[in-house]
Structure formats: C-alpha cells, structure tokens
Amino acid sequence: MRSTALLTDQYELTMLAAALGDGSAHRRCTFEVFARRLPNGRRYGVVAGTGRLVDALAHFRFEESELAIAAGFLDSKIIDWLRDYRFTGDIDGYPEGELYFPGSPILSVRGSFAECVLLETLALSILNHDSAIASAAARMVSAADGRRMIEMGSRRAHELAAPSCSRAAYLAGFDATSNLEAVRRFGVPGAGTSAHAFTLLHSAADGAHEAAAFRSQIEALGIGTTLLVDTFDIPQGVATAIEIAGPELGGVRIDSGDLGVLARQVRDQLDGLGATKTRIVVSGDLDEYAIAALRAEPVDAYGVGTSLVTGSGAPTAGMVYKLVEVDGLPVAKRSSHKESRGGTKKAIRLSRRTGTLVEEIVYPAAGSQPAANGFEVRELQTPLVRGGEPVDGLPTLADSRKLVARGLVSLPWEGLKLSAGEPAIPTTFVN
C-alpha cells in the first residue's frame, strides 16, 4: 500500500509547524470524531471505514516523495520531523458496523497534538465516506426485507472509491458487488452477467434479437445465469429466454419500465412456461423508497447503483474531528451551530431485556458509568490502536456485517421508518 501521508489538508502541516515552533506540539491531547446531527430524514447511522482507517494509519509515513511536496511550504526542521513521524498514541472507537446517533463519540484519538492533528483529514475522509454508504445501504437492506441485494455503483463513483463503496455496502448487508477490485481487495462476493451491449452486438450480427446473445451466454455461463430480457420487448425476451435455456433458467433481469407491473407480468409468464424457480432481478435507479414500494411484488433480487454511491442517495455523514482535551483539561468550541463538548468521553447504550434500544448516554471518561435504571447496558467504545499499533482481534468484515444486522433488529420499530423523523433513540449527555 502506498503512503497515506498526503491524504491530508495543508493546514494540518502548517498547524504542526507553528506548534513545533512555539513548543505546544507535544502537549497531550484528545481529538474526537462525532456527528452533530444525522442527515435529513435519517434516524440512525452506521459506522463504517474503521478497518480501512486502521490499515491506512499503518502507512501514514512521510517518504521522500511526500517530503518533496511538504518542502514547498515547510522549512527543513519540520521536514526532518516529518521524516521520522510515527503515530504512537491510542485510539478507541465504536466497532465497525455499530450504529451511531448525534453526538456519539465514534472515535477518540489520544497522543501529542503534533501526532494527532495530522490525522484529521485521513480519519474524516474514510469515516465520512464509508459511513454514508453503509448508512444508505442499511436502509435499502431493511426495505428489501431479506431479498438479495447486489451493489452495482462502480460506474457512478470515482474509480478509486468504488471498491470502498462496495465494501461499505457489503458491511451493511448487501450480498454481492459487481466491482472486481472489491472482490480482490476485501473479499466481497462478486456478481454480474450481461448488459444491453451484448444483446445488441448479436442482434446486429444476425437480426435474431436476443436469441443468439442468450444462447452464447448460456453456453458460457450455464443455465444458472441471469438473462437481461428488456432490450427490445420483455414478453418476447422472456419467451426466448425460456425457449433457449429451459425452465431451469437461473434468472431474468429487468432494467427499465414500471418495475412493479413488469415483475408481476413476468412472474405470471415464467410460471406459465414452467419456469417457477427462475428468479426475477430488477435494477435501474433504485433507492430505498423504490425498493420498499416493490416489497409486495414478485421480485427476488435488487441491483442498486447510483442512489447508493452518490450524494443524493448517500448524503454525507457530517462527522467532524475536534480537539476536546489538552493536558487533561476539557476544551470546547463555542461557534454558533458548530459547538463541541469538551473532555474525553465514553458512551453506553441502554436496552430493554427484549433487546430493543432505549437510549445512548455519553459521559466523561474520567467519571463513573451512569446508572442503568434497570436497563441492559452495553459499552460502545473498544480499543483500536495502542501505542500506535492495531490491537489484536479487531472485527473482521464478517463480524461487522453481523453487528449491523443485530443493530437494525434492536432499533425501535419507528427507527426503521424511511420517513423523516427524530433519531431512533435519544442521546443523553452527562457532565
């Protein structure tokens, strides 16, 4: 992995230079990552990207090529300091896959000011991006109600961000991705068959519409494949698909039109042709609302792209990285609408014995844990980094998928609504 040291903003290095100059760079500090509020219409968020952040931290090194960029605005003494930079502090945080709410202390970074201030952009760019995708994906998974979900957003995302989108979606409960780099890098299951171009290629060659394309795809991939049937006429496409593949065809995909109406018509046609086990996959600008509207229709799987990986469908998580403690004393920002709460914090989440969440409580790390008042208690922050090194036993991607699933089940029923409203549970701050 290449150095991650320049995945940062210049002001972090200029602050470092000034702090080294006046001697404040070595004061012990705590920075926290939190979101002041959830995006409009959202009732919960999903923490994602923690695993990627820990990996990226290990490669936060200023080698000669990185130092050459910094030398354009820093003097030689600062460059020498950067050459030896290693984060040696501690990081605690919510496990990847945990739910979060306004004010949740998602990440706590402790060390010298110089060590910690350089990590702001790295932490926020990863956590904000991945948490936005995972939070959107979790809503779609809930709306799908157990049906197969395939992430197909690579063509609408930045090429370097696309694998991380796939990972975040898979973490939140998607079943597969079309992005092969995500398969290689993160082990996300891959999925994909054919596009309209393949059908049009064969149609141009022999005028047989879908027949030649379907026959070729089945010969290459077997009858378990999924055939795209809406390039020309859907009923004719379905009829041709079953004529060539037989009633054991794995699936058909519809990528356009009134998907609910078409799914019912295609299901009836498939059943009439004896293809009762052939699955129906739908795609085409789906979001959680469209998926929820299709819940009563005979749809077996959804392919989701644009609304998952773009800002309109996955609005920013809005997380910030703020200095909250210096030399053991709390510090807080007071700017209007951008306030922060001083002091290093911990958090617990209360639930009923049934497992339903009731409240999140944020309290001073130096204080005692608040009373549970008869509720079940779960501590939220766990060690992630100690002395600059990742702790043993960090959650795997599979572990995080399970945590998301458990978290969604634990929400009060109103917390799963797709309509705008208050956060699913309140957050209480104890001084």
Side-chain angles (χ1 to χ4, degrees):
M1 185 175 182
R2 295 178 61 183
S3 169
T4 58
L6 294 186
L7 298 178
T8 190
D9 286 308
Q10 183 167 323
Y11 82 158
E12 290 163 21
L13 295 180
T14 55
M15 283 190 287
L16 168 70
L20 287 172
D22 68 17
S24 61
H26 306 295
R27 298 179 70 178
R28 306 306 295 176
C29 294
T30 299
F31 286 80
E32 284 182 349
V33 173
F34 61 94
R36 293 187 176 93
R37 60 193 65 85
L38 297 174
N40 290 337
R42 300 299 173 88
R43 297 171 184 255
Y44 64 88
V46 176
V47 177
T50 312
R52 291 208 306 119
L53 174 59
V54 172
D55 289 343
L57 181 61
H59 299 276
F60 199 91
R61 304 284 188 269
F62 288 86
E63 307 296 346
E64 292 309 311
S65 60
E66 289 76 37
L67 293 171
I69 300 298
F73 57 92
L74 297 175
D75 65 32
S76 60
K77 291 183 179 180
I78 308 303
I79 295 301
D80 288 340
W81 190 93
L82 290 173
R83 183 175 283 110
D84 296 328
Y85 175 83
R86 300 290 186 274
F87 179 74
T88 62
D90 298 336
I91 302 177
D92 293 335
Y94 284 30
E96 191 166 29
E98 183 61 81
L99 303 182
Y100 73 89
F101 301 95
S104 294
I106 295 164
L107 202 73
S108 178
V109 182
R110 300 184 300 279
S112 70
F113 178 83
E115 286 184 292
C116 298
V117 74
L118 295 184
L119 303 182
E120 175 185 1
T121 302
L122 183 72
L124 290 182
S125 61
I126 293 175
L127 293 176
N128 270 320
H129 175 270
D130 288 21
S131 296
I133 302 295
S135 299
R139 285 162 58 88
M140 295 176 190
V141 168
S142 294
D145 197 26
R147 297 173 185 178
R148 182 172 170 82
M149 299 288 289
I150 305 168
E151 186 275 321
M152 302 166 58
S154 297
R155 289 162 293 164
R156 300 292 186 268
H158 187 282
E159 72 275 14
L160 300 181
S164 301
C165 294
S166 303
R167 180 186 184 276
Y170 182 67
L171 182 151
F174 271 57
D175 298 285
T177 180
S178 64
N179 186 279
L180 289 179
E181 182 60 25
V183 175
R184 178 176 72 167
R185 190 181 304 176
F186 303 119
V188 179
T193 52
S194 178
H196 294 293
F198 189 71
T199 302
L200 293 171
L201 168 71
H202 290 77
S203 300
D206 60 17
H209 293 291
E210 294 103 336
F214 289 174
R215 186 174 294 109
S216 175
Q217 184 176 328
I218 290 166
E219 287 175 355
L221 302 177
I223 62 171
T225 192
T226 297
L227 298 176
L228 183 60
V229 296
D230 71 336
T231 304
F232 303 111
D233 177 78
I234 293 176
Q236 182 58 54
V238 171
T240 302
I242 301 305
E243 177 184 350
I244 293 173
E248 299 303 313
L249 175 64
V252 296
R253 179 162 73 96
I254 309 168
D255 191 48
S256 58
D258 188 329
L259 297 178
V261 171
L262 293 172
R264 291 194 299 273
Q265 293 173 347
V266 169
R267 184 74 269 161
D268 289 343
Q269 185 179 5
L270 288 171
D271 291 347
L273 294 169
T276 57
K277 295 182 180 179
T278 299
R279 299 178 301 277
I280 297 175
V281 182
V282 299
S283 56
D285 295 326
L286 295 175
D287 59 16
E288 60 265 49
Y289 304 104
I291 292 169
L294 291 167
R295 187 178 294 173
E297 307 299 347
V299 174
D300 299 290
Y302 302 94
V304 184
T306 303
S307 62
L308 180 61
V309 303
T310 63
S312 58
T316 178
M319 296 177 186
V320 294
Y321 184 94
K322 295 301 178 185
L323 179 63
V324 296
E325 189 170 289
V326 177
D327 292 335
L329 299 176
V331 295
K333 183 179 178 182
R334 300 302 181 196
S335 304
S336 178
H337 304 297
K338 289 190 174 183
E339 301 88 350
S340 61
R341 296 174 182 270
T344 305
K345 304 167 198 68
K346 291 184 177 180
I348 57 175
R349 199 165 287 161
L350 306 184
S351 62
R352 304 185 190 280
R353 297 193 177 185
T354 59
T356 302
L357 299 181
V358 174
E359 181 184 18
E360 181 162 321
I361 301 178
V362 179
Y363 63 99
S368 56
Q369 188 178 103
N373 298 321
F375 293 113
E376 303 289 327
V377 177
R378 184 161 61 88
E379 296 183 7
L380 293 168
Q381 290 168 312
T382 61
L384 300 174
V385 173
R386 287 292 179 268
E389 298 295 330
V391 302
D392 293 332
L394 289 178
T396 64
L397 189 54
D399 294 333
S400 297
R401 278 171 59 84
K402 293 176 182 177
L403 185 57
V404 174
R406 289 198 300 268
L408 294 178
V409 170
S410 71
L411 286 173
W413 69 268
E414 61 270 19
L416 292 171
K417 287 182 177 180
L418 298 180
S419 58
E422 295 298 314
I425 60 171
T427 302
T428 300
F429 296 90
V430 176
N431 295 322

